[in-house]
């Protein structure tokens, strides 16, 4: 191998890792000696934002990572990282091999946290894995045949979409959405009203302002002591990130997210770039939260910023602001709350068929963006936040 080879390793092939790797490959293709390796435990690309559809029994297209990378020159390694040695810039993989990096793009993302409430790991289902989501859909069909109960824990966007999707697909089920807050609490009054009308139409029961203290095989227990019957429990509340960064001595926050500077580089190890759910990203208006709306722009930005560094130039600071909160309410309804850069609601919103069309247009499968990124520099950010992000964090 040429001694001047510059090795870039991308850990994680979710939405952000895939986009970062493919855009890096395009941007660096004329730079001599750049070698990009993408590492992921599975060869199948998982569309995390559409997992609730699989759970409700829908069949989605299956995309294999090697096929999506075809023609890019990226090396794909199907393995899981077990350790990072920052001193030698070496990643240990679970297949017994090791990778050296000159720059590391850390895109390991997040997963549903099943450790905080007793019984969740043993008795609840999650949307972390498409295979488990498919098995859950089979159990749903069996439960619907006897008109059983399904409880969805977590009234955030994932919980709302899952509850609506399940209720629409299986009208014989009793679907209950349980959360510490009101569904759609982050939305404006009119958008929230439409959301609640849709849930009423679908027969979704809401139990808000409660804490789940235990998940049992056939029920959940609330902090009030009340038991809610549950033939199936779907857990969508809380997230956790890989402990890998913290274990490696990389500077992280209390949740294990890598603390980044204005260019999304680790404040303790600048050769490490953190993106998506794995990064603690601060804007002038506050902390970016883990959504595709900011995750994919962070990936595209890092591909451009790292390329500039390789060319001996300094990248400009990352800027991003929120634009909307899109929520599907089954296959035939949706609501879109337009927002300020800090994710607070504006007056404007969309509902019904117009919202369905909008959501499918701007937040459907990322695969077309991956394919286009092989040929052009695809822009994925809808807004850079305007004046709200011009001041330093």
């Amino acid at each position: 191998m040429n001694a001047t080879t510059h090795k870039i390793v991308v850990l994680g092939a979710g939405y952000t890792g895939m986009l970062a790797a493919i855009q890096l490959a395009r941007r660096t293709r004329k730079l001599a000696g750049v070698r990009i390796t993408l590492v992921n435990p599975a060869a199948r690309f998982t569309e995390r934002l559409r997992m609730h559809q699989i759970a409700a029994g829908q069949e989605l297209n299956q995309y294999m990572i090697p096929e999506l990378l075809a023609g890019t020159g990226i090396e794909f390694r199907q393995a899981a990282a077990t350790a990072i040695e920052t001193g030698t810039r070496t990643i240990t993989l679970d297949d017994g091999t090791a990778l050296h990096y000159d720059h590391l793009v850390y895109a390991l993302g997040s997963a549903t946290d099943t450790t905080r409430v007793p019984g969740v790991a043993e008795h609840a289902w999650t949307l972390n894995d498409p295979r488990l989501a498919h098995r859950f859909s089979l159990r749903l069909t069996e439960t619907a045949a006897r008109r059983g109960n399904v409880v969805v824990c977590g009234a955030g966007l994932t919980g709302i979409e899952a509850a609506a999707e399940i209720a629409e697909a299986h009208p014989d089920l009793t679907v209950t959405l349980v959360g510490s807050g009101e569904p759609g609490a982050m939305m404006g009054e009119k958008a929230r009203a439409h959301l609640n009308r849709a849930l009423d139409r679908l027969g979704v029961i809401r139990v808000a302002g409660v804490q789940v203290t235990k998940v049992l095989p056939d029920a959940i227990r609330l902090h009030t002591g009340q038991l809610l019957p549950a033939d199936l429990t779907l857990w969508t509340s809380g997230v956790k990130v890989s402990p890998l960064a913290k274990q490696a001595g990389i500077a992280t926050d209390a949740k294990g997210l890598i603390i980044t500077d204005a260019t999304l580089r680790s404040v303790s190890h600048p050769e490490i770039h953190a993106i998506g759910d794995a990064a603690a990203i601060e804007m002038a208006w506050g902390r970016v939260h883990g959504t595709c709306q900011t995750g994919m722009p962070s990936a595209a930005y890092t591909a451009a910023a790292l390329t500039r560094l390789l060319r001996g130039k300094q990248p400009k600071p990352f800027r991003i602001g929120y634009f909307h909160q899109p929520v599907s309410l089954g296959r035939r309804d949706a609501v879109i709350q337009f927002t300020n850069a800090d994710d607070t609601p504006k007056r404007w919103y969309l509902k019904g068929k117009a919202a369905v069309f909008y959501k499918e247009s701007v937040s459907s499968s990322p695969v077309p963006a991956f394919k286009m990124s092989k040929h052009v520099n695809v822009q994925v950010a809808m807004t850079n936040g305007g004046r709200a992000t011009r001041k330093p964090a």
Side-chain angles (χ1 to χ4, degrees), residues 116-130:
R116 294 187 301 173
V117 175
V120 173
E122 295 82 7
H123 306 302
W125 297 77
T126 67
L127 299 178
N128 288 335
D129 186 299

Side-chain angles (χ1 to χ4, degrees), residues 209-249:
V210 297
Q211 300 291 333
V212 178
T213 58
K214 191 170 186 179
V215 176
L216 304 168
D218 56 358
I220 64 168
R221 179 177 292 138
L222 305 180
H223 74 283
T224 59
Q226 179 186 2
L227 288 176
L228 291 181
D231 296 302
L232 290 174
T233 298
L234 180 63
W235 193 265
T236 69
S237 177
V239 296
K240 63 180 179 180
V241 298
S242 169
L244 205 59
K246 184 176 181 179
Q247 292 169 352

Side-chain angles (χ1 to χ4, degrees), residues 163-184:
E165 204 78 51
I166 291 167
E168 182 180 80
H170 298 282
D172 291 334
L173 285 170
T174 299
V175 180
T176 303
L177 179 62
V178 177
S180 58
E182 292 284 343

Side-chain angles (χ1 to χ4, degrees), residues 23 25 28 31 68 89 100 105 115 121 132 134 139 164 173-174 183 238 282 284 297 308 316 345-346 348 368 376 379:
Q23 290 211 358
T28 61
L31 296 179
L68 293 174
R89 300 190 183 185
H100 173 77
V105 179
T115 64
L132 287 177
H134 177 69
R139 291 288 300 276
L173 285 170
T174 299
E282 297 286 349
R308 286 186 65 84
K316 295 180 180 180
K346 291 183 175 180
W348 304 290
V376 296
Q379 298 297 317

Side-chain angles (χ1 to χ4, degrees), residues 46-58:
T46 299
E47 296 192 68
R48 284 289 300 275
L49 294 185
R50 299 165 75 88
M51 294 285 279
H52 60 285
Q53 294 177 239
I54 299 176
Q58 297 171 41

Side-chain angles (χ1 to χ4, degrees), residues 270-292:
E271 71 278 5
I272 297 175
H273 305 249
I275 59 177
D277 295 1
I281 302 172
E282 297 286 349
M283 293 287 108
W285 46 261
R287 171 69 65 89
V288 168
H289 54 72
T291 66
C292 188

Side-chain angles (χ1 to χ4, degrees), residues 80-161:
T82 58
I84 300 173
E85 174 52 58
T86 57
T88 59
R89 300 190 183 185
T90 303
I91 302 166
T92 302
L93 304 179
D94 64 354
D95 62 5
T97 63
L99 287 174
H100 173 77
Y101 63 87
D102 294 298
H103 279 88
L104 170 63
V105 179
Y106 191 96
L108 290 181
S110 63
T112 306
D113 190 350
T114 61
T115 64
R116 294 187 301 173
V117 175
V120 173
E122 295 82 7
H123 306 302
W125 297 77
T126 67
L127 299 178
N128 288 335
D129 186 299
R131 294 165 297 183
L132 287 177
H134 177 69
R135 286 170 53 192
F136 177 81
S137 73
L138 299 178
R139 291 288 300 276
L140 269 184
T141 301
E142 297 170 0
T143 305
R146 57 179 186 271
R147 297 180 176 273
N149 300 288
V150 175
V151 173
V152 179
C153 296
L157 299 187
T158 302
I160 293 168
E161 291 191 328

